[in-house]
Amino acid sequence: MIAIIVLPVWLAVGWAIFGGGGWGTLGLVIVVPIAFIVLGIVALITNVRPTVRQERALSWIDVGVLTAWHLSIIGTGFYGPTATGFGVLAILLGIAAFWVAVWQLVTDGANRMKASMAEFERLAGEQPGASATGGPVGSAGATGPGARRPPFDDGSDDVIIIHEVRED
């Protein structure tokens, strides 16, 4: 999170120490806010991921991509002969960091949903009305978690049956 502030500030400080020229200053006025916003968006997407919040740690993919991206921004801030190369690399790695963060967020959400559904199905199979095979008791030969029994009125308060009456 500290990189959201420090890296754009480094671009400005590096320009003051190593840079020069008016056109570069104009470019810096555009680049620093963009760097701040993109760093913030990637950090937000990364921190929203449930596994990051739960484990309080990034994945190794995050570590690799973010380290390379931050180092390229630091390299750009020296404004030497390789600043353009580092700048292009920083842009490409910023795009990669964004899409890697989105991909991991979607993948993590899908994995958590699968785990939730598996737990739901496991608990549904343990219900008192379920047979040992996982199907409901009294189903006409149907077994498995997706088997359904026809509705009936056994006199209990648990079942509500609504009959549709059509008048032509």
Side-chain angles (χ1 to χ4, degrees):
M1 288 299 212
I2 196 165
I4 297 170
I5 303 295
V6 171
L7 292 176
V9 168
W10 164 245
L11 291 174
V13 168
W15 181 255
I17 296 171
F18 303 109
W23 288 109
T25 304
L26 179 62
L28 192 65
V29 167
I30 296 169
V31 168
V32 168
I34 291 173
F36 174 77
I37 291 168
V38 173
L39 284 163
I41 289 171
V42 171
L44 178 68
I45 292 171
T46 302
N47 287 327
V48 165
R49 208 166 61 230
T51 54
V52 171
R53 286 184 289 139
Q54 181 181 15
E55 298 172 8
R56 294 182 181 240
L58 298 174
S59 70
W60 286 108
I61 295 172
D62 290 327
V63 171
V65 171
L66 293 176
T67 300
W69 184 29
H70 292 173
L71 289 175
S72 67
I73 292 172
I74 292 169
T76 303
F78 285 108
Y79 297 103
T82 59
T84 303
F86 277 120
V88 170
L89 186 61
I91 291 169
L92 295 176
L93 285 170
I95 294 168
F98 173 78
W99 286 111
V100 165
V102 169
W103 170 70
Q104 286 189 344
L105 178 65
V106 169
T107 303
D108 190 38
N111 290 339
R112 291 179 70 84
M113 181 58 77
K114 286 179 189 175
S116 295
M117 291 306 295
E119 180 67 14
F120 176 75
E121 289 177 1
R122 184 188 68 78
L123 290 174
E126 293 177 1
Q127 293 295 325
S131 67
T133 60
V137 176
S139 61
T143 60
R148 300 184 70 166
R149 62 179 178 196
F152 62 93
D153 186 8
D154 63 354
S156 70
D157 293 334
D158 298 332
V159 178
I160 299 173
I161 298 176
I162 301 173
H163 297 282
E164 180 181 356
V165 179
R166 292 188 179 180
E167 297 179 18
D168 292 331

